Amino acid sequence: MKQPPLASLRGFVTLHVTGPQVEKFINAVTEADIVIWDVRPAGNGASLNLLLDDFFALRPLLKKTGCRTRVTARNGLPFNAAKLWKRKFFAAGLLLFGIGLVLLSSMIWTVKIEGNNRIASEDILQAARHEGVYPFQWIWRMDDPDKLSKKLTSTLPGVSWIGVHRTGTSVKIQIVESDQPENKPLLSQRHLISRTDAVVTEIYAEQGRPVVSRNTRVKKGQILISGAIGDEENMEYVVAKGEVKGLVWHEYNIEVPLNRTRSSYTGERKDRTYLVLGKWAVQLWGYGKSDFAESRTLTEHDPLTWRSFQLPVGLLTEKEMEVLETAETLSPEAAREEGVMRAKNDILARYGTDSAIKSQKILHEKKENGKVYMKVLFEVEERITQELPIVNN
Amino acid sequence: MTRIGRRLRGWTNGVLDLPQDVLQELPRITLIGNKELYIENHRGVLHFSSEQLRLALVNGSLEISGEGLVIRNILGQELAVEGIIGEIRYKGSEENS
């Protein structure tokens, strides 16, 4: 045993004892059942360690043996406490810092939500807040994560699983949304009528009663599939659904110019780079004029950005690209073909891509002022249905 | 200690085979290498310096000489010495047994 138990807690002093009979003093101390340790000769006496409690019992012994003591070091908690007491505010600051660290680290700072597509994060946060999970909440006031996830799962609709994980001061809520049946649009009762004059080629009623049959000639607005089923006594209205195709005639007036110019890039290019400072631009590279006969210039401004702020400093690049213009003349046949093609594309775009062009006939064609004028009749098989809501009043 | 008492003790020692220090207040000295020395049953310090340490015993004295001697602790009749121990000399003032 080097020193008595908890010596540093009880406090001990290092004494320097001088006198004619240091040995006698040591013996006297031992007899008085005072524990001393680390006795080492020093100077013309000895230095020794002794507990603070025993220090005040030394007095009579010193008197008896005629020794003198000098305290050379004070160690242990009582002395440190006294030292600290002299710097109360420093100590208080130290303590406050510690307390603050503990308090701040036992607080939830962020709540993150992962895996939600349909449910709004705000709703989940609201539900979590209701269960006591929100920023600046004490961690010790929070429920167990498994209980929280159970509660959240029962409160939030449309969720099949919720996981709550806490790592440090952040809480992560993981969500697995349950699959929901597809929402079908609500339809009102209706008839299907013809959009235009046509000859029906195909009719298929998914719901409702077909009124016309194949090869019937229908007028615009005529009912094709009726939404009214049953006889006059027991009438019921449904949503008519189905597909009706018919032959429709479209007349197109087409004009195609025979001469036209076309411009294309040759690939030759000249770049200029500018440094933009506020309103000024200083050219950096690409001095000199280009020797292009005709050119087009693309300008790209690329300001320095930090997050969403645009700084007034940036780069400006100008690309001057050479353009070659070529003139070409179409033959009347090519012009006709192109005009018809354009008209066909227009039909497909207007009446659906499943329209089929059954036949085409050029009714009239003339060449005038460098243009070809044509009148073309197309026979097209296309969908001809239109919805007509049934109004009961 | 009376003569009879002493003889009785000597006899019990012989019969029971007890260690001497238990019965006769003889010092027990433990030396670990030349670094540490433990002395039990001493009767006080007579002289103490870093070269020499003299202890009083029940009969006689013990002289320890070495370098850098330090009394690590004193607890009642136990004493631990640290340092480089060179010599231990037992000076008995033999009492008649």
Side-chain angles (χ1 to χ4, degrees), chain A residues 334-354:
Chain A
R336 191 189 305 143
E337 213 155 280
E338 199 193 301
V340 169
M341 179 67 87
R342 256 195 267 160
K344 280 182 180 173
N345 285 341
D346 184 67
I347 287 169
L348 290 184
R350 245 183 240 223
Y351 306 113
T353 47
D354 55 350

Side-chain angles (χ1 to χ4, degrees), chain A residues 138-165:
Chain A
W138 300 114
I139 283 168
W140 65 74
R141 289 182 62 186
M142 229 173 72
D143 261 350
D144 284 343
D146 50 342
K147 275 187 197 166
L148 280 175
S149 58
K150 218 178 260 177
K151 278 185 191 169
L152 282 176
T153 313
S154 62
T155 48
L156 276 173
V159 161
S160 51
W161 181 81
I162 290 182
V164 180
H165 303 279

Side-chain angles (χ1 to χ4, degrees), chain A residues 281-295:
Chain A
V282 182
Q283 190 170 10
L284 296 179
W285 291 285
Y287 284 98
K289 274 199 161 182
S290 63
D291 46 4
F292 303 146
E294 230 167 305
S295 64

Side-chain angles (χ1 to χ4, degrees), chain A residues 1-3 22-24 26-27 30 33-41 45-47, chain B residues 42-51 69-78 82:
Chain A
M1 187 193 70
K2 201 170 154 78
Q3 52 192 41
V22 180
E23 291 84 5
K24 243 189 176 176
I26 292 172
N27 288 338
T30 318
D33 272 340
I34 295 172
V35 182
I36 56 174
W37 67 96
D38 274 355
V39 186
R40 56 183 81 226
S47 82
Chain B
H42 70 93
R43 286 288 176 271
V45 184
L46 293 175
H47 173 78
F48 177 49
S49 69
S50 59
E51 281 81 35
L69 295 180
V70 172
I71 299 178
R72 228 173 72 176
N73 54 359
I74 306 182
L75 193 75
Q77 302 194 336
E78 268 182 54
E82 242 181 23

Side-chain angles (χ1 to χ4, degrees), chain B residues 14-73:
Chain B
V15 170
L16 296 175
D17 202 12
L18 285 171
Q20 296 272 310
D21 60 316
V22 179
L23 289 166
Q24 296 199 358
E25 298 186 339
L26 292 176
R28 182 189 201 116
I29 302 171
T30 314
L31 180 67
I32 298 171
N34 64 345
K35 293 197 174 84
E36 284 175 41
L37 181 67
Y38 297 92
I39 300 142
E40 291 158 51
N41 271 338
H42 70 93
R43 286 288 176 271
V45 184
L46 293 175
H47 173 78
F48 177 49
S49 69
S50 59
E51 281 81 35
Q52 202 185 42
L53 174 64
R54 218 162 51 232
L55 299 173
L57 300 176
V58 175
N59 41 14
S61 66
L62 188 71
E63 233 182 69
I64 300 144
S65 43
E67 284 170 49
L69 295 180
V70 172
I71 299 178
R72 228 173 72 176
N73 54 359

Side-chain angles (χ1 to χ4, degrees), chain A residues 31-95:
Chain A
E31 260 167 49
D33 272 340
I34 295 172
V35 182
I36 56 174
W37 67 96
D38 274 355
V39 186
R40 56 183 81 226
N44 51 355
S47 82
L48 50 88
N49 288 355
L50 134 135
L51 281 178
L52 179 61
D53 303 337
D54 298 332
F55 178 71
F56 302 101
L58 282 183
R59 229 163 174 215
L61 301 176
L62 287 167
K63 235 172 217 175
K64 207 164 71 187
T65 56
C67 289
R68 304 180 70 84
T69 59
R70 195 158 51 82
V71 177
T72 52
R74 303 171 174 86
N75 302 298
L77 187 67
F79 296 110
N80 289 342
K83 236 186 269 174
L84 214 55
W85 185 246
K86 281 186 193 159
R87 311 174 71 183
K88 289 185 242 352
F89 290 101
F90 177 72
L94 211 67
L95 199 71

